[in-house]
Amino acid sequence: MLNNNDTEMQIHGIAASPGICVGKAYLVGREGVDVVEKYSVKREKLKEEIKRFKDAVKKAKDELYRIIEQTPKDLSQHAHILETHMVLFKDKMLYGRTIETIENEQVNAEWALKTVASNVKAMFSDMTDSYLRARAADIIHVSDSIMRNLIGAETESIASIGKQVILVATDLSPAETSQIQLEKVMGFITDRGGKASHTAIIARSLEIPAVLGLENATRIIKNDDIIIVDGTSGVVIINPTGQALIQFEERQERYEEHKAVISRESHLPAVTLDGIHLQVMGNIELPEEVVAVMTYGGDGIGLYRTEFQYLSRSDFPSEDELFDKYKDVVDVITPRPVTIRTLDINGDKAASYASDSEAANPVLGLRGIRYCLQKPDVFKTQLRAILRASAFGHIRILLPMISCLEEILETKKILNEVADSLDNEGIDYDRNIEVGIMIEVPSAAILADIMAKNVDFFSIGTNDLIQFSLAVDRVNRQVAHLYQPLHPAVIRMVKHVADVARDSGINVFMCGEMASDPMNLPILLGLGLEKLSMNPQSIPMAKKTIRSLAINETRPFIAEVLKETTTKGVMNLVQNTYGSILSDKIFKEG
């Protein structure tokens, strides 16, 4: 279907940053990067070719350094993302292998770089974890900037745009996104990218609408086309009719009003109508995101994923590097708590320097606590860093992918060894630090009563728990519709874990995405969950919904929920009972 000035067209992508904007399209060019010629290089000319590659790397690094230096104040907390790209310029996976390819295959630098970048991208793209898959974009952004310098392509400056526009691009790197001037750029859409990409994280921090992963937006949309971007539902409308413009302008007005109310109310406590105070915390992946948790009224960090510091580098991070990052988060969020999850990557693929073998099914392979127990030196380094940081605030340790009691006992043994080493060195740490486990493997949920005797808290990771319980790969388009948080089996499993925690006198948290959907909150409150953690942007709406509910009504409601035998039956019951409260949610399609 071709686009013309008389035809309205609607395309769908990934809702990466909420909000609605209407304006003229501005296509950001990416000429010359995709088409690369291959030619042979004589052996005596290889040193010259490698120098040409190194010069292009240096020029690209210098360009990024200037961007970092000029980063606006409101984006300074994301400088770490750009600094990570600086490290990638010399990463063994990209820099080292490109030089090896030039030498071994006697080919030109452009071809070698494109081949290596494609291989690395494929490696990351095969991963089931959306956050790890999104790291492929970092490799591509860095290789693209080197490639543009190799072929002499012009780089368009987003900072120099002089009119109000909506950016349309194949992709935008974090460096490009950080140059956005809010008075000129109303929003942006891209063919590539996903919700976990660094570009999406920056868009959300700027609070501008963004829809990513549209695949063919740059082919369909022309410069100066009028487009509507709905970053809440992931919809882009090209050449909208007058009726569509009116409809979305009204939605935009309602969204802005709602946002203002949410902003005013975000720091109000999440207290139910019958006076029960719930904790609503934030999940973060980067230290810089702690600012967003506070901005959106979070009661602490319920899940600090630590994988990022192990990725996109040529070796394991040092104890001091890890300690500095953990302490940065603690310093900002104190006196609120921080729950640090220990390393949860598939070591064979996520970190090139840890590669030992190929795993056919990495999500069920050597990851989480399994990986850490097989790499005790790596594990001890991280545990020392966490314990050292615990002297500066309220830190909890969370162990991922626990499937049996033996893993808990072995971890505690290692943790005690680490604590002894700190004692011997006279280094302060919290001797009463809490240690909890992720309940994300069905065996851990079934053995919850045994697990509870050996830990201080549970944190229910619904993303994997649902996936494993229902045997559904949530990123497989053919079966993703079967991934249902309100499946009766999932509700019963969560109830069992919550009941065991209550009877054992330990805390239970929920840190999976199930906690962030207001539709699920009447059930979660009824099950006895009073500590929730979610992406920072979801915190205000969750707190607002909680303030509209009464625990003494949700608990008898659960008795009715447990009678339902289908997901549809549960959803209908929630809608019929709490629909008037939940319909206040503006973040819905249509």
Side-chain angles (χ1 to χ4, degrees):
M1 183 175 179
L2 295 175
N3 182 37
N4 60 60
N5 290 333
D6 301 316
T7 307
E8 176 182 290
M9 180 188 287
Q10 192 172 117
I11 54 178
H12 296 259
I14 297 164
S17 181
I20 300 165
C21 61
V22 181
K24 287 188 175 182
Y26 183 100
L27 267 68
V28 179
R30 281 299 187 102
E31 301 301 324
V33 173
D34 292 331
V35 180
V36 173
E37 181 187 357
K38 178 183 180 182
Y39 57 85
S40 298
V41 177
K42 293 181 179 178
R43 186 165 294 280
E44 60 269 22
K45 295 282 188 181
L46 286 178
K47 283 188 178 178
E48 189 178 318
E49 191 67 13
I50 289 170
K51 183 181 183 302
R52 192 167 73 85
F53 170 69
K54 288 181 176 179
D55 288 345
V57 171
K58 184 180 185 305
K59 193 172 178 183
K61 281 184 73 175
D62 290 344
E63 289 168 356
L64 182 57
Y65 180 75
R66 284 194 294 273
I67 290 171
I68 292 173
E69 290 289 291
Q70 296 162 11
T71 298
K73 225 176 231 183
D74 54 359
L75 274 178
S76 59
Q77 73 268 33
H78 289 295
H80 178 67
I81 293 173
L82 304 183
E83 287 163 4
T84 300
H85 280 207
M86 290 288 278
V87 174
L88 272 174
F89 280 114
K90 285 296 180 79
D91 182 73
K92 184 172 70 175
M93 280 196 294
L94 190 66
Y95 182 84
R97 288 183 188 175
T98 299
I99 291 174
E100 287 174 11
T101 304
I102 294 170
E103 288 177 327
N104 297 340
E105 299 184 21
Q106 294 183 229
V107 291
N108 57 308
E110 293 90 342
W111 185 262
L113 176 61
K114 182 173 182 177
T115 301
V116 169
S118 296
N119 290 340
V120 174
K121 180 183 177 184
M123 181 181 77
F124 276 87
S125 299
D126 284 343
M127 296 177 185
T128 53
D129 187 285
S130 60
Y131 173 68
L132 297 180
R133 282 201 315 276
R135 301 292 67 81
D138 295 320
I139 299 289
I140 297 305
H141 292 146
V142 168
S143 64
D144 279 355
S145 63
I146 298 171
M147 187 73 78
R148 281 195 293 274
N149 283 296
L150 276 172
I151 66 179
E154 289 295 316
T155 302
E156 190 159 9
S157 173
I158 290 173
S160 65
I161 293 173
K163 55 185 177 180
Q164 276 210 320
V165 294
I166 297 172
L167 300 183
V168 181
T170 303
D171 201 0
L172 289 174
S173 71
E176 290 168 321
T177 312
S178 71
Q179 296 177 68
I180 285 175
Q181 297 181 59
L182 295 177
E183 66 273 17
K184 302 297 182 186
V185 177
M186 296 180 284
F188 65 83
I189 62 176
T190 62
D191 292 339
R192 301 177 191 156
K195 198 163 189 171
S197 70
H198 288 142
T199 299
I201 290 170
I202 293 177
R204 290 193 290 272
S205 73
L206 287 171
E207 297 188 350
I208 60 174
V211 177
L212 310 185
L214 287 158
E215 297 183 356
N216 58 358
T218 52
R219 183 175 59 82
I220 296 171
I221 298 170
K222 299 182 180 68
N223 264 323
D224 293 331
D225 274 354
I226 300 295
I227 58 175
I228 297 171
V229 176
D230 186 346
T232 300
S233 62
V235 172
V236 174
I237 298 178
I238 308 152
N239 296 319
T241 62
Q243 185 180 355
L245 280 171
I246 292 169
Q247 177 192 351
F248 274 87
E249 281 170 359
E250 287 174 352
R251 280 200 70 204
Q252 182 180 23
E253 190 176 326
R254 289 201 308 274
Y255 173 80
E256 292 301 329
E257 288 173 359
H258 170 82
K259 187 174 160 187
V261 170
I262 287 293
S263 179
R264 287 197 303 271
E265 297 179 350
S266 64
H267 290 278
L268 295 177
V271 179
T272 62
L273 293 173
D274 48 351
I276 306 297
H277 189 171
L278 275 70
Q279 280 188 304
V280 182
M281 296 166 285
N283 297 340
I284 67 169
E285 290 159 343
L286 300 167
E288 292 76 16
E289 290 178 289
V290 69
V291 176
V293 175
M294 296 181 71
T295 300
Y296 289 108
D299 296 317
I301 307 294
L303 175 64
Y304 178 7
R305 301 180 177 100
T306 56
E307 290 72 51
F308 181 77
Q309 286 147 269
Y310 291 80
L311 303 176
S312 305
R313 53 183 298 144
S314 57
D315 56 4
F316 287 106
S318 70
E319 179 185 320
D320 285 342
E321 285 179 272
L322 296 174
F323 166 72
D324 287 341
K325 294 300 179 188
Y326 302 157
K327 185 175 179 295
D328 285 347
V329 171
V330 171
D331 286 344
V332 174
I333 204 76
T334 294
R336 302 172 186 88
V338 179
T339 303
I340 299 180
R341 186 179 71 181
T342 57
L343 184 59
D344 184 16
I345 57 172
N346 167 15
D348 295 333
K349 286 195 173 182
S352 61
Y353 49 84
S355 181
D356 295 318
S357 61
E358 289 299 317
N361 196 350
V363 76
L364 298 179
L366 187 64
R367 55 166 286 207
I369 200 65
R370 301 168 181 177
Y371 177 78
C372 290
L373 292 177
Q374 283 207 19
K375 305 280 186 180
D377 290 344
V378 175
F379 197 22
K380 286 179 181 179
T381 297
Q382 183 177 31
L383 291 175
R384 277 179 61 94
I386 295 172
L387 284 182
R388 284 172 58 193
S390 72
F392 299 89
H394 183 186
I395 286 180
R396 305 183 186 102
I397 296 175
L398 180 60
L399 308 175
M401 199 65 180
I402 293 289
S403 61
C404 61
L405 177 61
E406 290 87 342
E407 291 165 339
I408 298 173
L409 300 178
E410 182 62 23
T411 297
K412 283 190 162 184
K413 181 182 173 186
I414 292 173
L415 185 60
N416 285 333
E417 290 173 8
V418 168
D420 288 344
S421 71
L422 292 176
D423 282 333
N424 292 335
E425 295 169 36
I427 297 174
D428 285 340
Y429 64 92
D430 178 5
R431 284 165 172 74
N432 298 311
I433 193 166
E434 296 173 90
V435 178
I437 62 170
M438 291 278 285
I439 302 289
E440 54 189 336
V441 178
S443 62
I446 293 165
L447 293 173
D449 57 327
I450 293 171
M451 304 295 194
K453 295 172 185 174
N454 294 275
V455 297
D456 299 305
F457 66 94
F458 291 154
S459 187
I460 303 175
T462 53
N463 298 5
D464 272 346
L465 185 62
I466 296 168
Q467 177 171 251
F468 295 150
S469 299
L470 301 182
V472 172
D473 180 354
R474 64 181 186 269
V475 299
N476 183 325
R477 289 173 184 255
Q478 293 178 305
V479 296
H481 65 284
L482 299 174
Y483 180 89
Q484 296 288 353
L486 295 185
H487 189 292
V490 173
I491 294 171
R492 281 165 170 73
M493 192 167 287
V494 172
K495 181 181 186 300
H496 171 65
V497 173
D499 288 349
V500 167
R502 184 190 63 245
D503 294 344
S504 303
I506 67 171
N507 282 320
V508 58
F509 300 75
M510 178 174 283
C511 61
E513 286 302 306
M514 185 177 180
S516 65
D517 188 343
M519 179 83 171
N520 302 330
L521 290 177
I523 290 177
L524 298 182
L525 269 61
L527 291 172
L529 285 155
E530 297 179 0
K531 293 175 173 61
L532 307 173
S533 192
M534 60 199 65
N535 67 76
Q537 291 74 22
S538 298
I539 292 173
M541 180 51 68
K543 292 174 77 175
K544 183 180 176 67
T545 305
I546 288 166
R547 288 194 293 269
S548 304
L549 300 171
I551 297 285
N552 59 15
E553 292 176 1
T554 60
R555 284 177 181 162
F557 170 66
I558 286 299
E560 299 303 311
V561 170
L562 293 172
K563 293 176 185 176
E564 296 295 337
T565 56
T566 65
T567 303
K568 187 175 181 182
V570 173
M571 294 177 74
N572 287 341
L573 182 60
V574 174
Q575 188 61 42
N576 292 337
T577 310
Y578 290 99
S580 60
I581 293 171
L582 299 174
S583 63
D584 187 44
K585 182 169 72 95
I586 193 137
F587 300 105
K588 60 184 180 182
E589 291 191 33

